[in-house]
Amino acid sequence: MSPGRYLAVEGTEGVGKTTLNRLLTDRLNERGVEVVRVREPGGTPLGEQIRSLLLHGDDMADWTEALLFAAQRSELVTRVIRPALSQGKWVLSDRCFYSSLAYQGYARGLGVSRVWSVNAPALGGTLPDLVVWLETDHGAALLRQEQPDRIGSEDASVHLQVWKGYRSVWTTDRERTLRMDGGRSPQHSVAVLVSVLEERGWLGPC
């Protein structure tokens, strides 16, 4: 059985994470790869309840927000991601723990290392094989949101700090992170990504 792969697409609000994962799923399915799509926050019954609190609930303390993200992530890894990988399936995720490092660790000022310290035990060593960071102008991406949620509705100054957070995380974890131009078309991005997967030997030539 071929090994499963865990890929996450990251970036600021409205950058096109879901679209890229949808297109990549289609390309992988065409090659006979079984894909499980997940999203953060969410992806499990409990995770979806937490998602509702995080994205559509009342304002909350910064550490409450960070711990809720870690809690839903623990459920997702335990009940969906790890079992799928053990069956040789690929997992494509909209977001991963990088979001917490950028949003709560950096932009909220909780500290990247401190936020990682609560996420590490939640993940139990199950980390993405590759994190695709779609980098683009955060202001332009925000305008593409159809219905901004609680976090998406934050001031532009907050989202600038989020972008800086992603850049900081990328700088310290380049082996795991693939930086891509989020301003290019999704079709172009998925073609580049498929080529990268082939070069790494994770995906056979078409």
Side-chain angles (χ1 to χ4, degrees), residues 100-113:
S100 285
L101 302 184
Y103 280 79
Q104 287 77 47
Y106 195 98
R108 301 290 196 209
L110 299 181
V112 171
S113 61

Side-chain angles (χ1 to χ4, degrees), residues 51-64:
R51 179 185 179 89
S52 180
L53 289 173
L54 285 167
L55 302 187
H56 307 293
D58 296 331
D59 193 21
M60 62 186 68
D62 291 344
W63 268 113
T64 301

Side-chain angles (χ1 to χ4, degrees), residues 4 11 31 47 61-62 66 106 136 168 177 185 196 203:
R31 301 197 185 193
D62 291 344
Y106 195 98
T136 191
S168 175
T177 311
S185 72
V196 169
L203 194 62

